[in-house]
Amino acid sequence: EAQVTQNPRYLITVTGKKLTVTCSQNMNHEYMSWYRQDPGLGLRQIYYSMNVEVTDKGDVPEGYKVSRKEKRNFPLILESPSPNQTSLYFCATRGIPDIISPLHFGNGTRLTVT
Amino acid sequence: DAKTTQPTSMDCAEGRAANLPCNHSTISGNEYVYWYRQIHSQGPQYIIHGLKNNETNEMASLIITEDRKSSTLILPHATLRDTAVYYCIVSNSNDYKLSFGAGTTVTVRA
């Protein structure tokens, strides 16, 4: 079954304590992306990756890091979380094809930074 | 800059067709129209996409105007489980910076 798996689903942490949210996919997709969702603002893209070792900034990259050492994994790293990073986070993937393919989303990670 | 505009919310009666409009007046020739929906706080789910012809699948139909400046997603027989936020986006195969607007909150009422 095609899956995008995020962990953890829920995370409560304190300001400044480094954390990593993991994302893994089993569809051999080249493209992976992180989004954050806040009330009234829709889904905003944080970072994306077009393939292994290729990453680029989305619309709201400040305060986040990513890495893409393997095709299947795309972790989101918050080196020093702050309360304004409290949000619902989604990982998404798609193939980069000659044909247009849709995004596949994970089930989300709800992060609270106190 | 928003590429699409959608109504903020709409209600629909259970069992009736729900017609969700989307304006994309600046769409370019190689951009597809995609629809996704998000139930509660789950990950968005792909519904359908099209370029210029009308499309239908098991979930919905997509009607794109001839000038491609707007489209309508049709849920033919809305159920309570179709209550969700529906997002319309335009994209081509070279769009890697993809963000979603606020979408349309659809409430299906019994």
Side-chain angles (χ1 to χ4, degrees), chain A residues 31 35 37 42-45 48 50 57-59 88 90 94 96 100-103 105-106 110, chain B residues 32 34 36 38 41-46 49 87 91-93 95-102:
Chain A
Y31 177 91
Y35 291 84
Q37 185 172 34
L43 288 107
R44 295 179 294 167
Q45 191 176 41
Y48 64 93
M50 291 163 55
K57 296 177 180 179
D59 293 323
L88 180 58
F90 290 102
R94 72 175 171 108
I96 297 181
I100 304 295
S101 63
L103 288 165
F105 284 84
R110 188 170 293 281
Chain B
Y32 285 70
Y34 288 81
Y36 293 80
Q38 184 177 25
S41 295
Q42 298 176 19
Q45 174 192 23
Y46 164 78
H49 73 278
Y87 299 97
S91 170
N92 62 38
S93 60
D95 272 342
Y96 303 122
K97 294 188 73 170
L98 286 171
S99 285
F100 292 55

Side-chain angles (χ1 to χ4, degrees), chain B residues 14-31:
Chain B
E14 187 179 21
R16 305 295 293 269
N19 297 303
L20 284 62
C22 180
N23 286 319
H24 31 81
S25 58
T26 61
I27 193 170
S28 60
N30 63 350
E31 287 184 315

Side-chain angles (χ1 to χ4, degrees), chain B residues 51-70:
Chain B
L51 183 62
K52 51 185 175 182
N53 297 323
N54 298 338
E55 302 287 344
T56 295
N57 63 20
E58 65 279 3
M59 292 180 69
S61 295
L62 174 61
I63 309 297
I64 302 174
T65 58
E66 194 168 337
D67 63 8
R68 303 208 324 121
K69 293 184 177 181
S70 66

Side-chain angles (χ1 to χ4, degrees), chain A residues 34-108:
Chain A
W34 277 103
Y35 291 84
R36 62 178 288 173
Q37 185 172 34
D38 303 290
L41 296 177
L43 288 107
R44 295 179 294 167
Q45 191 176 41
I46 303 170
Y47 268 95
Y48 64 93
S49 168
M50 291 163 55
N51 215 324
V52 175
E53 303 292 0
V54 181
T55 63
D56 211 339
K57 296 177 180 179
D59 293 323
V60 289
E62 295 77 22
Y64 304 95
K65 285 175 58 177
V66 292
S67 70
R68 188 90 182 273
K69 293 182 169 34
E70 307 165 278
K71 198 171 188 179
R72 63 181 291 122
N73 295 322
F74 189 45
L76 179 70
I77 303 156
L78 284 73
E79 295 270 3
S80 183
S82 63
N84 65 12
Q85 293 177 299
T86 292
S87 188
L88 180 58
Y89 291 87
F90 290 102
C91 178
T93 79
R94 72 175 171 108
I96 297 181
D98 297 323
I99 57 173
I100 304 295
S101 63
L103 288 165
H104 298 260
F105 284 84
N107 282 328

